[in-house]
Structure formats: C-alpha cells, structure tokens
Amino acid sequence: MKKIFLVAVIGLFFSCNTAAQKSQKEVTQKQETYKVTKTEAEWKKVLSPEAFYVLRQAGTERSFTSPLNKNYSKGTYHCAGCNTPLFKSDHKFDSGTGWPSFDREIEGNVAFSTDYNIGYARTEEHCATCGGHLGHVFDDGPRKTTGKRHCINGVALKFVPEK
C-alpha cells in the first residue's frame, strides 16, 4: 500500500508541469524584444541544426559532447547566434557535469527567466541581445567565488581566443 501511495505521489509531482505553465513561458518569450531579431527561417540559415535546436528551441545538447567543455585557453565565450560576449575564460571551471561551466556571466549580456519544463522552477539563461537559450544557472558552484554554476550548452557558444 505504501509503495502504491509513493508511486502516486511521484506521478503527481511529475505531472504538475501543466500546459498553462508552458503557454505562459511561451507568451513571455514571444513578448520580449531583443536587439537582434530574425525569423525562424533566417535563424536556420545562420545556425547549425544543433545550434538552432539549443538557441532557438531551448534544447539541450548531450553532456560531454562539446569541445568547449575542456577548453581552457584564454579568451571570451560569445553567443553563437549574435556574437555577444557572455563569459570570460577566467571564470570557467570544470564542474564535472559535461557542459561548459562558469561561476559568473558578463553582466548585462545574459538575461534570466524561470523555466518549469521539468516540473519545477529553474533559472534559465538567455543571451540578452538575441534571446537565444544558453542553459541554466544553479547554486552549487565554487563556494570560494560566487557559488554559482552557469551550466551552458557548448553549441550555444563561440570561443574567441585572447590576442
């Protein structure tokens, strides 16, 4: 009996991601205006299919697939959609999650919203210039710095080496 109750409670928890939550997020994103705007067709012309999926459809790349995950060269990570500088290599760290991780963003260049896609609230990160989905930020980063872990899809980034 306890097992059935537990399964029912877990099922209820995962079913709380209602259509109303999804439609509210879609309405919020569509109402925002960004400096760089393109039609879906225009984005598809300038982005790879993987980058389009992540940046424009809020997808997630598979962990440990991005060459930027283990990149420790000096430079800046820019938005792959519009080339806005988002993160500095000085703030990158190996989180062990399989995605490039940073303890802070370049202020003003990253926007934040709340994402309910998996049934509970997470802080989603977007490029403040084009609105492209980057990833999520969590409070389990390095305690010696900001305590934040910006978990970013590598395909959403373009690395620009320091000169």
Side-chain angles (χ1 to χ4, degrees):
M1 185 67 169
K2 287 183 182 179
K3 288 181 183 178
I4 293 171
F5 177 74
L6 182 61
V7 169
V9 170
I10 290 171
L12 181 62
F13 175 77
F14 284 108
S15 69
C16 289
N17 189 13
T18 66
Q21 289 172 325
K22 288 180 182 177
S23 64
Q24 178 60 39
K25 181 179 178 207
E26 290 169 4
V27 167
T28 302
Q29 284 187 337
K30 288 179 182 174
Q31 288 175 347
E32 292 183 46
T33 304
Y34 297 98
K35 291 177 190 172
V36 173
T37 58
K38 297 179 193 251
T39 65
E40 185 171 310
E42 290 171 325
W43 282 118
K44 283 184 176 182
K45 284 182 183 177
V46 297
L47 297 172
S48 70
E50 295 83 12
F52 181 83
Y53 170 68
V54 170
L55 286 164
R56 307 317 313 168
Q57 298 179 317
T60 302
E61 69 185 356
R62 285 186 20 241
S63 60
F64 299 101
T65 59
S66 173
L68 294 179
N69 185 40
K70 296 291 184 178
N71 177 35
Y72 294 106
S73 300
K74 291 281 189 190
T76 306
Y77 293 84
H78 291 225
C79 175
C82 68
N83 206 32
T84 297
L86 303 170
F87 303 96
K88 295 180 181 179
S89 61
D90 292 341
H91 303 134
K92 188 171 188 291
F93 68 97
D94 186 354
S95 65
T97 61
W99 290 280
S101 297
F102 305 86
D103 69 356
R104 69 196 78 175
E105 77 282 5
I106 296 175
E107 279 196 45
N109 292 356
V110 175
F112 303 91
S113 64
T114 304
D115 164 6
Y116 294 97
N117 288 345
I118 60 173
Y120 61 90
R122 297 183 297 171
T123 303
E124 185 174 357
E125 297 186 72
H126 306 273
C127 172
T129 304
C130 72
H133 170 77
L134 303 171
H136 295 85
V137 61
F138 303 97
D139 291 324
D140 60 0
R143 294 288 170 218
K144 293 182 179 179
T145 60
T146 64
K148 301 289 185 190
R149 173 175 54 96
H150 297 261
C151 188
I152 307 299
N153 291 283
V155 73
L157 301 173
K158 178 176 84 171
F159 180 70
V160 178
E162 194 173 274
K163 292 183 176 156

